[in-house]
Amino acid sequence: MNLHEYQGKKILAEFGVKVPAGMVAESPNKAVEAAEEIKEVSGTDKWAVKAQIHAGGRGKGGGVRIAKSLEEVKNYAREIIGMNLVTPQTGPEGKLVRKILIEQNIYYPGDSEPQEFYMSILLNRDEGKNMILYSPRGGMNIEQVAEETPDQIFKELIDPKVGLQPFQARKVAFNLGLKGEAFKNMIRFVTSLYKAYLGSDAALFEINPVMKTSDDKIFAADCKVTIDNNALYRHPDIAEMRDFNEEDPIEVEASSYDLSYVKLDGNVGCMVNGAGLAMATMDMIKLSGGNPANFLDVGGTANAKRVEEAFRIILKDPNVKAILVNIFGGIVRCDRVAQGIVDAYKNIGEIGVPIVVRLQGTNAKEGKQIIDESGLKVNSAILLEDAAGEVARVLAG
């Protein structure tokens, strides 16, 4: 589950990570009130006005502005709230901005030059360890840094059995070229950030930039946080942060029926039971010349009602020109799936696209009989390769 910047910073602050003073606003007037309150707390006379959407690169699209007066805060808030923000991560369709974050300015003059770093924490699956990925080249895309200056990318692997060791936090601060008070503050920052990563069951913490101010404080100037969905039952407070407006409405509807659905860009709708079988099915569709339009796992307890809802979800995508149902009956019974297909036809009406069904396993014979006796126009196959080839054939007309 992705979080907004302001939500991620709330979690960071709870674990002792230093973040700028900030407040969320949903109107220009509320933005001014927030700026006034932040000034009282921090003494700042400048504010960052930042669009809150689930995408990076907001500044490039005009979603981040620096206000030098309360009047500018109000004007920028008026411009950003309600805008359709297009960034390199939103795609050309963009995202509607419904709220903004007002923050204190941390780019202020002092005894030393401000510096921007990059830092993220995630799981290194190859090593089976957590990893701190960091660079002195912050404020830009880490992919670009890795391509142009790979020597500026550092990694610190952390054994989850022993945790982050003090020498590792010191190593991070050293590789970032820090010294004195900034060195000490970076050690505290890294240590607290790792605690936040573990404590919130995060899949990713990305801080870009990590900011060293002119008086050697270390701030999380921005953050991207992704929480492991499988751990949300342990964090009901974080689960409540879910913003459905930022998610694909079809995926949200699918989750309400306990369907695992991810929309893709192809033209063949997939209905499968089991993630591994779904991946194999999509591969076969590609090899046969088609393109999968979705990942949809009906799960091991699929019944007729769930299969019907799965059909409705798939058909909401206007790009779907054919549907491949590939069910291996282990826990799920093929006759239940077959009955769901028949019920979907009756309840939805004319489906309008060809359907190819492959049923194997528990009660597969009974399932095939249900479909054969239904009178529906459904193409059947035994082998997965044959099913994918049948899909390619019907697409070709």
Side-chain angles (χ1 to χ4, degrees):
M1 184 181 81
N2 293 324
L3 299 181
H4 286 292
E5 176 190 357
Y6 76 91
Q7 295 169 328
K9 285 181 173 176
K10 181 178 183 293
I11 294 174
L12 293 180
E14 290 172 352
F15 285 89
V17 178
K18 197 170 185 62
V19 300
M23 295 180 65
V24 179
E26 299 183 9
S27 71
N29 289 337
K30 290 294 183 181
V32 172
E33 292 176 11
E36 291 175 332
E37 188 168 335
I38 292 168
K39 182 176 182 179
E40 291 181 8
V41 173
S42 65
T44 186
D45 58 356
K46 295 179 183 178
W47 302 264
V49 182
K50 310 170 79 174
Q52 297 298 284
I53 60 171
H54 288 177
R58 293 166 295 165
K60 297 177 182 179
V64 178
R65 310 291 292 274
I66 303 300
K68 300 177 182 178
S69 67
L70 292 175
E71 187 63 28
E72 285 192 353
V73 169
K74 189 171 187 177
N75 290 337
Y76 291 151
R78 187 179 292 117
E79 293 175 8
I80 295 175
I81 296 174
M83 75 181 297
N84 191 58
L85 181 56
V86 178
T87 81
Q89 294 186 18
T90 64
E93 68 278 5
K95 285 193 172 185
L96 176 65
V97 180
R98 294 177 172 84
K99 59 186 72 174
I100 56 176
L101 175 62
I102 310 297
E103 280 191 337
Q104 75 174 101
N105 171 48
I106 56 176
Y107 291 80
Y108 45 77
D111 297 332
S112 64
E113 286 295 320
Q115 291 177 267
E116 293 183 340
F117 310 112
Y118 173 92
M119 189 174 298
S120 63
I121 305 180
L122 65 161
L123 174 64
N124 185 315
R125 297 186 181 277
D126 292 336
E127 298 288 342
K129 296 179 180 180
N130 293 322
M131 177 177 68
I132 299 178
L133 183 71
Y134 61 105
S135 172
R137 300 281 301 278
M140 58 189 298
N141 295 332
I142 195 64
E143 295 85 2
Q144 182 180 346
V145 176
E147 181 178 350
E148 298 177 357
T149 55
D151 60 308
Q152 295 294 293
I153 301 292
F154 298 92
K155 299 176 183 178
E156 191 65 32
L157 294 174
I158 304 164
D159 189 331
K161 295 190 295 292
V162 298
L164 177 68
Q165 298 299 295
F167 80 88
Q168 294 179 297
R170 292 194 296 269
K171 182 180 176 182
V172 172
F174 178 80
N175 285 338
L176 292 176
L178 297 173
K179 58 184 179 180
E181 194 65 25
F183 185 92
K184 297 176 183 177
N185 286 332
M186 180 58 76
I187 292 174
R188 297 189 190 99
F189 183 91
V190 173
T191 303
S192 297
L193 186 65
Y194 189 73
K195 288 180 180 177
Y197 173 80
L198 291 182
S200 61
D201 285 308
L204 170 70
F205 269 7
E206 185 177 49
I207 316 297
N208 190 25
V210 175
M211 177 73 183
K212 183 199 82 68
T213 63
S214 57
D215 55 357
D216 291 337
K217 294 183 174 70
I218 305 295
F219 281 94
D222 194 2
C223 77
K224 177 181 180 180
V225 176
T226 302
I227 304 297
D228 184 351
N229 287 342
N230 295 316
L232 284 176
Y233 74 94
R234 289 200 290 255
H235 305 279
D237 55 330
I238 296 179
E240 290 179 357
M241 295 180 180
R242 183 177 180 184
D243 188 346
F244 294 100
N245 291 319
E246 292 293 315
E247 301 179 27
D248 185 290
I250 300 179
E251 293 182 11
V252 172
E253 182 180 354
S255 66
S256 69
Y257 297 111
D258 293 325
L259 298 171
S260 297
Y261 173 89
V262 178
K263 186 180 182 304
L264 302 173
D265 297 327
N267 56 358
V268 180
C270 304
M271 186 192 306
V272 189
N273 66 316
L277 185 59
M279 299 301 292
T281 301
M282 291 190 289
D283 286 344
M284 289 304 303
I285 290 173
K286 289 288 291 185
L287 290 172
S288 299
N291 286 296
N294 63 269
F295 170 104
L296 194 155
D297 179 5
V298 295
T301 58
N303 52 34
K305 179 61 177 177
R306 180 174 289 188
V307 171
E308 179 182 335
E309 295 300 341
F311 266 110
R312 292 183 185 275
I313 293 294
I314 292 173
L315 291 170
K316 287 180 181 291
D317 184 353
N319 295 323
V320 170
K321 306 303 179 185
I323 298 175
L324 172 57
V325 180
N326 185 22
I327 300 296
F328 181 80
I331 299 174
V332 65
R333 287 166 39 187
C334 292
D335 57 328
R336 286 186 176 181
V337 176
Q339 189 60 53
I341 295 171
V342 173
D343 292 345
Y345 251 107
K346 293 178 179 178
N347 296 332
I348 296 175
E350 181 59 40
I351 288 183
V353 298
I355 297 177
V356 178
V357 178
R358 175 188 180 248
L359 301 175
Q360 285 293 316
T362 305
N363 289 358
K365 181 178 179 180
E366 291 83 352
K368 185 177 186 304
Q369 183 178 353
I370 289 173
I371 290 178
D372 289 344
E373 294 176 356
S374 68
L376 303 179
K377 296 179 180 179
V378 175
N379 302 282
S380 62
I382 297 176
L383 300 177
L384 176 55
E385 183 178 3
D386 294 338
E390 184 67 17
V391 168
R393 186 190 66 77
V394 297
L395 287 176

